[in-house]
Amino acid sequence: MSYHIGLVEDDKNIQDIVVAYLKKEGYQLTVMDNAEDGWALWENNPPDMWVLDIMLPGMDGYEFCKKIRNESDVPIVIISAKDEEIDKILGLELGGDDYLTKPFSPRELIARIKRLFKRVQPGSVDKEPDDRVKVDQLLVYKNERRVFFEGIEYETTAKEYDMLLLLAENPNRAFSREELLVKVWGDDYFGSDRAVDDLMKRIRKKMEHIPLETVWGFGYRLRKDEEA
């Protein structure tokens, strides 16, 4: 199996060395010099592993690592000139699987990459656990009751969480206000369906760009962009 590795590194000399060694090992490489291009790659053709520099123009490697880890368990190897213990700890706490300090041996990088791929069962790279529900930029962790949107974690009330999970598990489906009352508040709730509207306003205020649509005269739906 030929794995696809995304290399995010703004030093051209390091790019050339890493690419030469990894291609010799049979890996497919996509090389970027900034994290913004890395994120675009993630959304369109996600690699099986990231090799990631920390000191980048624009979004730094720490923030990029955090965003990727919020969406996937894909392996991440951090390479950095920062050799303080606190930097290594931060990189690993944000989701890095390994940390190499520059200058490093390309052979050592290859050994660590191979070791990480051995930990990933064939066909399991970039698979989401059963407890995760993802609709475009909305990600819900069911077991942990955590909600992320556009890579940012949001604190939610119990009702906000229940509503988001229901809509995320049924993307593009239009729910009436009455249905939402029963499913989120329970069939013994006797209040007004204005509670639904108020809850939706709070969610929209909290997550400004969430694709939560009003179905006029009926209810609401969470839009999922259909692939062309």
Side-chain angles (χ1 to χ4, degrees), residues 148-166:
F148 292 82
F149 182 63
E150 297 182 328
I152 300 172
E153 183 172 8
Y154 288 86
E155 293 293 329
T156 57
T157 65
K159 288 292 187 290
E160 288 170 354
Y161 172 84
D162 291 342
M163 181 66 77
L164 286 167
L165 177 60
L166 172 65

Side-chain angles (χ1 to χ4, degrees), residues 7-218:
L7 172 63
V8 187
E9 167 61 68
D10 63 342
D11 186 314
K12 186 66 166 57
N13 291 330
I14 295 178
Q15 282 183 7
D16 292 343
I17 293 170
V18 171
V19 168
Y21 273 83
L22 293 185
K23 283 192 173 179
K24 187 176 180 181
E25 293 293 323
Y27 296 116
Q28 299 176 30
L29 270 294
T30 300
V31 182
M32 297 137 289
D33 59 11
N34 63 81
E36 287 76 12
D37 287 348
W39 187 251
L41 177 68
W42 174 253
E43 293 183 316
N44 293 287
N45 182 26
D48 300 310
M49 179 183 289
W50 291 98
V51 176
L52 171 65
D53 187 18
I54 290 300
M55 300 176 70
L56 296 166
M59 185 196 312
D60 67 19
Y62 288 133
E63 182 62 25
F64 181 73
C65 181
K66 182 180 177 181
K67 288 185 66 166
I68 292 294
R69 189 54 76 231
N70 284 341
E71 296 209 354
S72 175
D73 293 322
V74 61
I76 300 173
V77 178
I78 295 173
I79 54 175
S80 176
K82 294 187 173 184
D83 60 357
E84 296 293 329
E85 183 179 11
I86 187 63
D87 298 312
K88 296 178 182 179
I89 292 172
L90 180 58
L92 296 174
E93 285 185 342
L94 289 175
D97 296 284
D98 208 338
Y99 194 108
L100 267 176
T101 302
K102 298 177 183 178
F104 56 86
S105 162
R107 290 185 177 86
E108 182 180 3
L109 174 61
I110 289 171
R112 298 195 184 199
I113 287 173
K114 287 181 176 179
R115 184 185 66 192
L116 283 173
F117 275 136
K118 283 182 180 178
R119 284 168 39 187
V120 181
Q121 295 299 320
S124 69
V125 173
D126 194 33
K127 297 296 184 181
E128 295 186 347
D130 292 339
D131 69 309
R132 294 207 273 191
V133 180
K134 186 174 185 299
V135 178
D136 297 328
Q137 296 299 310
L138 178 65
L139 177 63
V140 181
Y141 289 78
K142 294 165 66 174
N143 291 344
E144 300 176 11
R145 293 183 68 87
R146 298 169 69 194
V147 176
F148 292 82
F149 182 63
E150 297 182 328
I152 300 172
E153 183 172 8
Y154 288 86
E155 293 293 329
T156 57
T157 65
K159 288 292 187 290
E160 288 170 354
Y161 172 84
D162 291 342
M163 181 66 77
L164 286 167
L165 177 60
L166 172 65
L167 295 174
E169 289 182 326
N170 299 275
N172 292 328
R173 175 184 167 184
F175 287 91
S176 69
R177 289 176 173 81
E178 292 75 18
E179 282 182 288
L180 293 173
L181 274 177
V182 170
K183 291 180 179 297
V184 176
W185 279 262
D187 54 12
D188 57 349
Y189 179 79
F190 296 105
S192 166
D193 63 6
R194 288 291 302 173
V196 175
D197 296 329
D198 291 340
L199 183 62
M200 295 301 189
K201 286 179 183 177
R202 293 203 304 272
I203 292 173
R204 283 168 167 165
K205 184 177 181 180
K206 189 171 290 187
M207 304 175 194
E208 184 179 353
H209 301 296
I210 189 169
L212 182 56
E213 296 182 335
T214 300
V215 182
W216 297 107
F218 184 76

